[in-house]
Amino acid sequence: LPGAKSGVAGAVTMEKVTDYKDSTTYNNFYEFGTDKADPAKNAHTLVTKPWTVAVEGLVKQPKTWAIEDLIKLSAQEERIYRLRCVEGWSMVIPWVGYSLAELIKKVEPLGNAKYVEFITQADPKTMPFVGSRVLDWPYVEALRMDEAMNPLTLLTFGMYGEVLPNQSGAPVRLVVPWKYGFKSGKSIVKIRFTDKEPRTAWNKAAANEYGFYSNVNPDVDHPRWSQATERRIGEDGLFAKKRKTLMFNGYEAQVGQLYAGMDLKKNF
Amino acid sequence: MSAALNKALMHAAAKPLVFALALLPFAWLFYGAFTNNLGANPAEHLIRATGDWTLRFLCIVLAVTPLRVISGTPALARFRRMLGLFTYFYVVIHLLSYGWFDMGFDVPEIIKDIIKRPFILVGFSAFLLLTPLAATSFNAAIKKMGAKRWQMLHKLVYLIASLGLLHFFWMRSGKNDFAEVAVYAVILAVLLGWRVRQYMKKKRIQPISTGREQLSK
């Protein structure tokens, strides 16, 4: 899945890209198990063809998209983003996709649409750990409309020039680089426009630990660990010191204005 | 059968063999770290694996006495001290891995981290409590302390095991993932439950008139 170099500001970091092997064997995708090696082992059972994505809710053009048509909706771009996990590690990944804004413009949200909700696949037949009590299934994530419209928010179909491997959220996922990784839902089947802030999967599981915004923020610690530093997978070796985490994961210039005047300690 | 097993366990090679086996996980991890074969996050792998092995050795060492009594294999007792010391060995490596690879030996940061993450405090307490047990594991210490006091001290292992389990439970609670925790909890409960039953039995056999709990024999 080739993608042209993106012209979006901040979309291509010059940092060293994480090895494909590391970024595809160290994953959080609880539908396939909670150990980070599990998804690579178990996700082969996921059936990604045929696949449809229903766009519904407060839009003028609700429609169920076949994945083939969704891929063709806009030109594929390569974006090299930092990925910061809430657990304190990070990677640099070359994604392939296009700005979610392209799809949003196409489906024409109504004036009262304030949020976009992403509902992901939850099929106990192909996802062995759906039904485990870790989370409420299906896994649901959401963004405020202006966050969803930001050009950095990527509707993603590939990585490293290839289609997404199953464990990385095939055939379509979201990537929101200034938020902790869990905000970027994998294997999306439904995109819903709403007027109320949706309850999201981790927020339902532990509201005091995972807020709706979950922006990367070194000054707001997780209740159980510090967020000031991170370990870059594959680069910061066993004996290296961890690196400092950047505000909004280093995308402050692009997204800082979205949160002007907000208390980020309260809206974590 | 059990006589043959007993004889095998008394063999001169038995102790070095058990020693080598108990060292294998460490050798494997060391080799993995050296050849960069511990997956995408080697620090995390080392910390978790050494924690796992500490818990496993706790279970193994606590299983020695029940196995010895049930199977009628007195020679098993020869391995108890070594296995106990290996438990301590793995917890030290566990603590060092955390302090070094996760925290870069930054002491103020470590103190902040312990305050922030009470599960680390619980684990650290278990380590501290295990230290006097390891330090008094040689014959001279037993002689000096007297068997009774030595045994009293070493009963701390039950508290240590509980703290270790709590540490693991708390660590896993972030992901609501308690399957493995439950396995260790069941094993430890069985091993401790057996001891409670033995204690009750002995209490019943002892003449009540003495009014003393004779635990030591």
Side-chain angles (χ1 to χ4, degrees), chain A residues 162-178:
Chain A
E162 299 171 14
V163 296
L164 286 171
N166 288 355
Q167 64 268 34
S168 303
V172 58
R173 65 170 295 169
L174 204 67
V175 178
V176 192
W178 71 92

Side-chain angles (χ1 to χ4, degrees), chain A residues 22 25-26 28 30 34 36 87 89 91 133-134 202 205 209-210 221-226 231 233-234 238-242, chain B residues 33 38-44 46 48 100-104 106 109 113 116-119 170-177:
Chain A
D22 283 344
T25 56
Y26 191 77
N28 281 320
Y30 283 15
T34 52
K36 273 186 275 295
E87 297 166 342
W89 52 268
M91 296 183 181
R133 280 180 298 176
V134 179
W202 275 107
E209 300 190 3
Y210 307 100
D221 283 346
H222 186 279
R224 288 184 287 119
W225 60 84
S226 162
R231 184 180 296 279
I233 296 297
L238 209 41
F239 305 103
K241 271 210 115 179
K242 291 196 273 190
Chain B
L38 296 180
N41 194 342
E44 182 187 73
L46 274 181
R48 297 207 173 154
W100 191 355
F101 307 137
D102 210 27
M103 308 304 295
D106 187 334
E109 276 304 312
D113 198 40
K116 187 107 209 168
R117 300 201 277 180
F119 88 91
W170 219 336
M171 190 276 245
R172 282 294 169 87
S173 67
K175 291 195 173 186
N176 284 326
D177 182 9

Side-chain angles (χ1 to χ4, degrees), chain A residues 21-22 30 35 87 92 103-105 122 140 156 183 187 196 202 211 213-215 245 247 259:
Chain A
K21 186 170 179 281
D22 283 344
Y30 283 15
D35 191 278
E87 297 166 342
V92 176
L103 173 64
I104 296 178
K105 281 182 232 155
V140 172
T156 307
K183 289 296 292 180
S187 304
K196 278 191 230 36
W202 275 107
Y213 288 96
S214 291
N215 293 313
T245 289
M247 187 65 199
Y259 309 100

Side-chain angles (χ1 to χ4, degrees), chain A residues 179-198:
Chain A
K179 291 175 179 282
Y180 293 119
F182 69 89
K183 289 296 292 180
S184 301
K186 291 170 162 174
S187 304
I188 293 169
V189 292
K190 202 178 278 184
I191 299 175
R192 190 190 285 149
F193 292 77
T194 68
D195 52 356
K196 278 191 230 36
E197 186 181 288

Side-chain angles (χ1 to χ4, degrees), chain A residues 4-15 17 77-82 92-99 150-154 175 177-178 250-251 253-254:
Chain A
K5 271 266 173 285
S6 177
V8 171
V12 180
T13 172
M14 292 300 152
E15 287 159 272
V17 166
E77 295 179 10
E78 181 166 79
R79 311 267 184 101
I80 306 178
Y81 285 163
R82 288 175 291 276
V92 176
I93 299 180
W95 303 104
V96 183
Y98 53 77
S99 293
N150 186 283
L152 283 179
T153 301
L154 192 70
V175 178
W178 71 92
Y251 298 98
Q254 289 79 32

Side-chain angles (χ1 to χ4, degrees), chain B residues 15-63:
Chain B
K15 260 193 180 174
L17 187 68
V18 172
F19 186 91
L21 281 176
L23 207 55
L24 263 185
F26 173 76
W28 183 248
L29 287 171
F30 190 83
Y31 173 78
F34 202 74
T35 55
N36 198 13
N37 236 327
L38 296 180
N41 194 342
E44 182 187 73
H45 183 96
L46 274 181
I47 294 166
R48 297 207 173 154
T50 49
D52 286 342
W53 280 107
T54 304
L55 269 175
R56 284 171 201 154
F57 271 93
L58 257 177
C59 292
I60 292 170
V61 76
L62 283 172

